[in-house]
Amino acid sequence: MEKIETHRIFGGEQSVWKHASATLGCEMRFAVFVPDHAPGAKLPVIYWLSGLTCTEQNFITKAGAQSYAAKAGVILVAPDTSPRGEGVADDAGYDLGQGAGFYLNATEAPWAGHYRMYDYITEELPGLIEAGFPASERRSIMGHSMGGHGALVIALKNPGRYAAVSAFSPIVAPALVPWGQKAFTAYLGADRAAWAAWDATALLAQAGERLPILIDQGEADPFLEAELKPWLFEAAAAAAGHPLTLRRHEGYDHSYYFIATFIGEHIAHHAAALAA
Amino acid sequence: MEKIETHRIFGGEQSVWKHASATLGCEMRFAVFVPDHAPGAKLPVIYWLSGLTCTEQNFITKAGAQSYAAKAGVILVAPDTSPRGEGVADDAGYDLGQGAGFYLNATEAPWAGHYRMYDYITEELPGLIEAGFPASERRSIMGHSMGGHGALVIALKNPGRYAAVSAFSPIVAPALVPWGQKAFTAYLGADRAAWAAWDATALLAQAGERLPILIDQGEADPFLEAELKPWLFEAAAAAAGHPLTLRRHEGYDHSYYFIATFIGEHIAHHAAALAA
């Protein structure tokens, strides 16, 4: 693990690291914000999963999250969005392959060899964070768009493991929308029976844990009608009696300007759960 | 003037505009954040000048300034850093030509035809802002690095016109450092007598107005020793009896992570002066 970037911000340290990932079979990068803290302290960790085309850089440069994390005393971890490199399968589209890992474990060729972002996010990365940083084992998870899908799926598949989950503009029902159908067909194959294990709306129906979910969605989001469809998740939550706070925000779009506006509230939501 | 980008953020609107600049003889872009405000209200305006290589995008995506401007009720304007386009002179270096206008009026070929950023920032741009947005004629100015130089020079050359001035990591004495010497030789010619009119440290000695100046400087800034040298400005301020608050911040570098940490205090400083 090698530190390749470091900056002081809001009294803490924003760093970027690269390492050889055993899970993904390639070099990976992740970003970590560690707030100023007492010597020997162990801080809870919020994992942020970014959307299509993003790297570990987008969230740390554009969301303005460090200000709130510094006040709350929480570590922020932002990984890259897929395996990368010359030997890693890719696609010409922005919505498949490198930059579009969808936080799942692929089963189909040519993806299955490297595309195991689910295992990376739930196992390898927390191991690195908890061994290499002043991190406790208290974890929560959030994300944006494809990363909102990732956060919801990971929290729902791992009851008890995350103290909180939230999402901005998430792909809540990938099996039912073009982005998800393209990715799932490639990564998981044409048999839709395999898709339900990676679809937050499908998982919600059988969730064993009633972890409250916070979702913010902009009403001027250009992907709202075709790709995001939060009403599908809302209906599933109502049917299952699962606690969901879905907030619709007039005039806000899909960008980091939207995320920046509400990230403080998400971090407060996570910090409260992590401290409980 | 055409709006080419718009996003809601913190209850206000972040927009980006393009227009044919008569001053610069090319198409220019600028960004404007207008906070939520009462119908008919006229808000004061803070101009932000960015550093080398930047466009109108860097500040609006990375500084986290909109949050504070929304609370303070001030408009933020962030122009591009030079004339641009195929017919505009350029240089292979990042520190001369397009992206490096140095906020002056060039007198030498091939630059004099388009490189008139001083006139653009002090005349054409405020005219556009005050005609096209809910802006009062109360103005202040701040910037980063090359833009810190620009903000200081523009405030010092225009007594009474700006209610406040501040800078992050400014080039305070361009006539004495490599970045400035390269740019001034190209834009203004080899005769150093012409340089003093564009050098904040030289201008400070003869300033007719005692406008308090706020400067933040990171001590881990890689350009501190060779290019920035804030002690030269500090000495000139002491000699002239000019009010200067120069804050040195341990561990902070030249990046927007540094700016994000202290932009809230700069906006508070400007907002107080603009309201006075």
Side-chain angles (χ1 to χ4, degrees):
Chain A
M1 206 164 76
E2 181 190 346
K3 190 192 286 192
I4 56 175
E5 199 180 318
T6 178
H7 309 278
R8 195 165 195 195
I9 175 169
F10 287 104
E13 182 186 8
Q14 178 63 64
S15 57
V16 178
W17 298 73
K18 68 176 180 183
H19 72 106
S21 168
T23 307
L24 302 173
C26 66
E27 184 179 285
M28 283 293 284
R29 295 183 177 200
F30 62 84
V32 182
F33 172 71
V34 178
D36 190 25
H37 58 279
K42 296 282 192 184
L43 309 180
V45 181
I46 306 177
Y47 290 84
W48 169 269
L49 305 182
S50 286
L52 289 166
T53 77
C54 288
T55 70
E56 83 289 345
Q57 289 289 323
N58 303 65
F59 179 71
I60 65 174
T61 58
K62 293 185 170 181
Q66 296 95 343
S67 160
Y68 307 103
K71 284 180 197 133
V74 296
I75 290 173
L76 297 174
V77 175
D80 201 351
T81 55
S82 78
R84 295 195 191 259
E86 282 194 15
V88 176
D90 201 5
D91 182 88
Y94 74 94
D95 51 2
L96 184 64
Q98 298 188 30
F102 271 82
Y103 305 104
L104 49 70
N105 292 334
T107 54
E108 303 303 296
W111 311 104
H114 294 281
Y115 284 75
R116 304 187 63 80
M117 285 298 289
Y118 175 79
D119 283 353
Y120 179 72
I121 299 296
T122 58
E123 294 177 22
E124 185 173 1
L125 185 59
L128 292 168
I129 297 300
E130 288 155 27
F133 298 86
S136 76
E137 291 181 7
R138 295 286 290 168
R139 308 172 197 100
S140 71
I141 194 159
M142 59 182 178
H144 173 232
S145 196
M146 174 183 75
H149 143 75
L152 294 171
V153 164
I154 286 171
L156 288 165
K157 286 171 82 79
N158 293 277
R161 189 170 166 89
Y162 295 92
V165 59
S166 71
F168 291 86
S169 333
I171 304 170
V172 293
L176 302 176
V177 302
W179 276 341
Q181 290 167 342
K182 177 177 178 180
F184 283 12
T185 302
Y187 296 141
L188 303 172
D191 180 2
R192 295 188 175 217
W195 296 9
W198 305 102
D199 182 291
T201 299
L203 288 167
L204 195 63
Q206 60 205 49
E209 185 192 34
R210 290 283 176 266
L211 188 64
I213 296 171
L214 169 62
I215 294 179
D216 277 319
Q217 175 62 55
E219 292 195 323
D221 188 324
F223 304 110
L224 177 57
E225 295 292 328
E227 302 284 4
L228 306 179
K229 301 180 185 282
W231 49 87
L232 298 176
F233 195 70
E234 191 172 39
H242 197 108
L244 167 67
T245 302
L246 169 60
R247 310 190 303 183
R248 295 172 168 86
H249 301 279
E250 186 185 344
Y252 286 90
D253 63 22
H254 200 67
S255 70
Y256 269 86
Y257 294 105
F258 171 50
I259 296 170
T261 304
F262 297 103
I263 191 70
E265 294 175 34
H266 282 241
I267 288 177
H269 170 79
H270 286 248
L274 288 161
Chain B
M1 205 163 77
E2 181 190 345
K3 190 193 285 193
I4 56 176
E5 200 179 316
T6 179
H7 310 278
R8 194 165 196 194
I9 175 169
F10 288 104
E13 182 187 8
Q14 179 64 64
S15 57
V16 178
W17 299 73
K18 68 177 180 183
H19 71 106
S21 167
T23 307
L24 303 171
C26 66
E27 183 179 286
M28 283 293 284
R29 295 182 178 201
F30 62 84
V32 181
F33 172 71
V34 178
D36 190 25
H37 58 280
K42 297 282 193 182
L43 309 180
V45 181
I46 306 177
Y47 290 85
W48 169 270
L49 305 183
S50 286
L52 290 166
T53 77
C54 289
T55 69
E56 82 290 343
Q57 290 289 323
N58 302 67
F59 179 70
I60 66 174
T61 58
K62 294 185 173 182
Q66 296 94 341
S67 160
Y68 307 104
K71 285 180 196 134
V74 297
I75 290 173
L76 298 174
V77 175
D80 201 351
T81 55
S82 77
R84 296 195 191 260
E86 282 196 16
V88 175
D90 200 4
D91 182 88
Y94 74 95
D95 52 1
L96 183 64
Q98 297 187 29
F102 272 84
Y103 305 103
L104 49 70
N105 292 334
T107 54
E108 304 302 297
W111 312 103
H114 294 282
Y115 283 75
R116 303 186 63 80
M117 285 296 290
Y118 176 78
D119 283 353
Y120 179 73
I121 300 295
T122 58
E123 294 176 21
E124 186 174 2
L125 185 59
L128 292 169
I129 297 300
E130 289 156 27
F133 298 86
S136 75
E137 293 183 2
R138 295 285 291 167
R139 307 172 198 101
S140 71
I141 194 160
M142 60 183 178
H144 173 231
S145 196
M146 175 183 74
H149 143 75
L152 295 171
V153 164
I154 286 171
L156 289 165
K157 287 169 82 78
N158 293 277
R161 189 169 165 89
Y162 295 92
V165 59
S166 72
F168 292 86
S169 333
I171 305 171
V172 293
L176 302 177
V177 303
W179 275 342
Q181 290 166 342
K182 178 177 178 180
F184 283 12
T185 301
Y187 296 143
L188 304 172
D191 179 1
R192 297 190 172 216
W195 295 10
W198 304 103
D199 182 292
T201 299
L203 288 167
L204 196 64
Q206 60 205 50
E209 184 192 33
R210 290 281 176 268
L211 188 65
I213 296 170
L214 169 64
I215 295 178
D216 277 319
Q217 174 63 55
E219 292 196 323
D221 187 324
F223 304 111
L224 178 57
E225 297 290 330
E227 302 285 2
L228 305 179
K229 300 180 185 283
W231 49 86
L232 297 176
F233 196 70
E234 191 172 38
H242 197 108
L244 167 68
T245 302
L246 169 60
R247 309 191 301 182
R248 295 174 168 83
H249 301 279
E250 186 184 344
Y252 286 90
D253 63 22
H254 199 69
S255 71
Y256 269 86
Y257 295 105
F258 171 50
I259 296 170
T261 304
F262 298 102
I263 192 70
E265 295 176 32
H266 283 240
I267 289 177
H269 169 80
H270 285 246
L274 287 161

